[in-house]
Amino acid sequence: MAELVAAFLFIGVVAYAVLGGADFGAGFWDLLAGGAKRGREPRHLIDVSLAPVWEANHTWLIYCLVVLWTAFPPAFAAITTTLYIPLVLALLGIVLRGAGFAFRKATVRTEEQRLYGAAFALSSVLTPYCFGAIAGGLASGRVPTAGDGDAISSWVNPSSILGGVLAVLACSYLAATYLTVEALHRDEQKLYRYFRDRAIAAGAVTGAVSIAGIFVLHADSPRLFDRLSGPALPLVVLAAVGGLVGLALLWARRTVGTRVAAAGAVALVIVGWGVAQTPYLLGTHLSITEAAAPNATLAVVVGVAVVAGLLIVPSLVLLFRLSSRGDVGVGDPPFRGGVTEEARGSGEGMTEEGGSAAGAADRSGAAQAGRGAGAALTTGTGSTGAKTDRAPAVPLDPATVGSRPRRWVPYALCAGAVTATAVAGARATRPDARWYRELNTPDWQPPPWAFGAVWTPLYASIAVAGGRALNAARGPQRKALAGEFAANLALNAGWSSLFFRLRSPLAGLAGTLLLDASNVRLLARVARTDRKAAVVLLPYAAWCAYATCLSASIVARNHEPRHRGPAKG
């Protein structure tokens, strides 16, 4: 039970780093935007991008603090009585940052705007640095179990300085990448190039500092270095690959998958740090089970976390969707029309929404020809993304209706693909293998028969959702959606081989993390086509997330693997 709660806690840490970290990084670029005239346009984009979501992103910090002090009170006491200086600075920075961001938009005088803007920007750099310094102090084992450690050396040391610098750089890389995509959605070509160049520079500097940090960890945090170069090495490699893919997409002037690559790289670095620190909460001492509260308390924490996830996560997803469409917040709504011919030729017209500007134009033309099923058309005009008046509904064209494919074909194709996935996974799964039976598994792992009972309806739900979504999609959107389903099913089938064929719980954990990322992207793409199909897929995504927590617990309990590679003879 303690490992499950620790996994829930770390999910919050990753979410805060990926979402709240981008907010901090936006403040970093606000600080470097220049004077009032020169930095007006970048700061305006930062304001309209952050305004709807910045408070929601920081709820993950509250979640992490509540879970930590409720489920692991000895660790919370040790951290707060030793690292109270960076904690106070970080919390003060969050308050000043929020006040500066809010008051800057409410003031008229330039002098006051500069004052509040400086508070917002400087606090956006101070806060992530303090959080990174705290992580470095924990990882290097400078927080004693009894607490009341050295208030200065615990966060002013080589590992903490490295952690603080990397935190600031990673946040700036995330923010610049997100703002690059946002600028393209608004058809702001100048801002698109502005933030793309800064995202490439921030990513390159972050990679260089990470490589240099290897020598710092080797000298100052030997256990963390050994674990990062051992059990956590696959995650580190995947993080490096994700970072390189993100930089390559930015360099090629593509934005499809850019945000996912950047966020995945940062998330994998944090997960690698967690795996390297396992099973200790304080880096080199105080294990998860030693610091855990009684089982009754842990059970309540698990229940509250699950209920909160079911209530809050859909709300956050809805908030981000409304924000991306410009339905909430301030300023101009995101642009959804075409881009210039120059951008279209270089690939700059590709967006996260699943297609190019040319594809958007094609879809508009198809709707005018009669495919819109009576829906009103909305197009963006100009570089500001303002919407025009809605056009009247267009009746269906019998010729186009008759040319639609048979509705049962997508269902049949999805059912066949899902069946092949289930057969491939079942053939690779060996729950009766001796090495698997000897693994130290948590007491909340379901019995072997439960997996088949759960996966059967889940596979059926994938086939139903896939057929429904493919029937609703058209043209390039359908091809992209089919590719997402194929990639997801391939990751689903590949997990069994990673875990059972390689006899590696860590490889299985990496596979489930990739599957979770694929689930998020698949849900987002399906929801844009058919929301009911996305709802049908939610239990599948939730079960995969549970499997990730289970894999993480098995890795933590068997962090010194006794079996490597396939059986001999």
Side-chain angles (χ1 to χ4, degrees), residues 374-456:
L377 302 177
T378 302
T379 20
T381 59
S383 61
T384 61
K387 295 181 180 179
T388 61
D389 296 335
R390 294 182 179 272
V394 181
L396 288 173
D397 185 355
T400 60
V401 174
S403 62
R404 290 181 178 179
R406 298 179 185 274
R407 297 186 63 85
W408 60 266
V409 174
Y411 286 100
L413 293 176
C414 288
V418 167
T419 302
T421 301
V423 171
R427 289 179 61 86
T429 303
R430 294 290 183 269
D432 56 346
R434 180 179 177 183
W435 75 272
Y436 178 75
R437 288 186 278 111
E438 291 178 353
L439 287 175
N440 183 8
T441 57
D443 53 4
W444 44 274
Q445 175 174 322
W449 59 266
F451 290 96
V454 171
W455 273 112
T456 299

Side-chain angles (χ1 to χ4, degrees), residues 24-44:
F24 291 127
F28 176 85
W29 296 119
D30 186 290
L31 180 65
L32 301 182
K37 182 178 181 180
R38 177 185 173 189
R40 181 180 304 162
E41 292 183 1
R43 289 192 178 103
H44 176 69

Side-chain angles (χ1 to χ4, degrees), residues 57-454:
N57 287 339
H58 292 282
T59 57
W60 292 106
L61 177 61
I62 302 173
Y63 167 86
C64 294
L65 290 174
V66 171
V67 173
L68 180 61
W69 81 52
T70 305
F72 307 102
F76 180 81
I79 293 170
T80 53
T81 57
T82 301
L83 297 167
Y84 57 88
I85 294 179
L87 282 171
V88 170
L89 290 175
L91 294 178
L92 179 63
I94 292 175
V95 173
L96 291 177
R97 180 180 180 276
F101 183 72
F103 286 122
R104 182 174 67 175
K105 295 181 298 183
T107 55
V108 178
R109 298 178 58 186
T110 304
E111 294 79 7
E112 294 177 348
Q113 290 180 344
R114 286 176 177 172
L115 175 62
Y116 293 129
F120 165 70
L122 292 174
S123 299
S124 297
V125 176
L126 173 66
T127 304
Y129 179 86
C130 289
F131 283 137
I134 291 170
L138 289 172
S140 58
R142 287 182 165 89
V143 178
T145 302
D148 296 316
D150 191 290
I152 302 300
S153 64
S154 59
W155 70 288
V156 182
N157 57 76
S159 295
S160 292
I161 294 173
L162 173 65
V165 172
L166 279 177
V168 173
L169 290 174
C171 291
S172 64
Y173 169 58
L174 280 176
T177 303
Y178 292 177
L179 289 169
T180 299
V181 178
E182 184 66 21
L184 186 61
H185 286 178
R186 295 173 180 272
D187 195 31
E188 297 284 354
Q189 294 299 317
K190 181 180 177 181
L191 288 177
Y192 168 73
R193 292 187 292 268
Y194 177 92
F195 282 111
R196 186 197 65 198
D197 295 343
R198 281 153 180 77
I200 293 174
V205 173
T206 304
V209 173
S210 301
I211 295 173
I214 295 174
F215 303 98
V216 176
L217 295 179
H218 185 270
D220 192 62
S221 303
R223 184 183 184 275
L224 181 63
F225 173 82
D226 292 340
R227 299 278 295 170
L228 286 174
S229 58
L233 183 60
L235 297 174
V236 175
V237 173
L238 286 175
V241 171
L244 291 174
V245 170
L247 291 177
L249 290 173
L250 289 168
W251 183 265
R253 301 184 178 185
R254 305 277 180 176
T255 56
V256 174
T258 305
R259 288 184 293 190
V260 175
V266 174
L268 286 170
V269 168
I270 298 174
V271 173
W273 164 55
V275 171
Q277 192 165 302
T278 303
Y280 300 114
L281 287 174
L282 301 182
T284 59
H285 50 279
L286 189 62
S287 67
I288 294 174
T289 54
E290 292 172 347
N295 285 335
T297 303
L298 297 179
V300 173
V301 172
V302 170
V304 171
V306 171
V307 173
L310 294 176
L311 294 175
I312 295 174
V313 172
S315 302
L316 292 176
V317 172
L318 177 61
L319 174 63
F320 291 140
R321 285 183 57 81
L322 294 176
S323 174
S324 67
R325 292 188 342 219
D327 294 336
V328 296
V330 298
D332 300 328
F335 184 78
R336 298 298 177 193
V339 297
T340 62
E341 290 295 333
E342 176 186 0
R344 188 177 296 120
S346 62
E348 293 183 28
M350 300 302 291
T351 68
E352 284 289 336
E353 303 303 322
S356 63
D362 290 342
R363 287 192 296 273
S364 297
Q368 292 172 355
R371 295 187 196 176
L377 302 177
T378 302
T379 20
T381 59
S383 61
T384 61
K387 295 181 180 179
T388 61
D389 296 335
R390 294 182 179 272
V394 181
L396 288 173
D397 185 355
T400 60
V401 174
S403 62
R404 290 181 178 179
R406 298 179 185 274
R407 297 186 63 85
W408 60 266
V409 174
Y411 286 100
L413 293 176
C414 288
V418 167
T419 302
T421 301
V423 171
R427 289 179 61 86
T429 303
R430 294 290 183 269
D432 56 346
R434 180 179 177 183
W435 75 272
Y436 178 75
R437 288 186 278 111
E438 291 178 353
L439 287 175
N440 183 8
T441 57
D443 53 4
W444 44 274
Q445 175 174 322
W449 59 266
F451 290 96
V454 171

Side-chain angles (χ1 to χ4, degrees), residues 479-536:
K479 293 181 180 179
L481 190 59
E484 289 287 349
F485 270 105
N488 187 272
L489 292 177
L491 290 172
N492 187 308
W495 177 86
S496 299
S497 297
L498 290 174
F499 189 97
F500 288 98
R501 293 282 177 86
L502 297 181
R503 298 189 176 189
S504 173
L506 185 59
L509 175 60
T512 59
L513 290 171
L514 290 174
L515 183 57
D516 289 335
S518 176
N519 286 338
V520 172
R521 186 171 178 83
L522 180 63
L523 281 171
R525 192 178 290 277
V526 171
R528 289 194 292 266
T529 304
D530 190 319
R531 292 187 178 182
K532 291 183 179 179
V535 172
V536 173

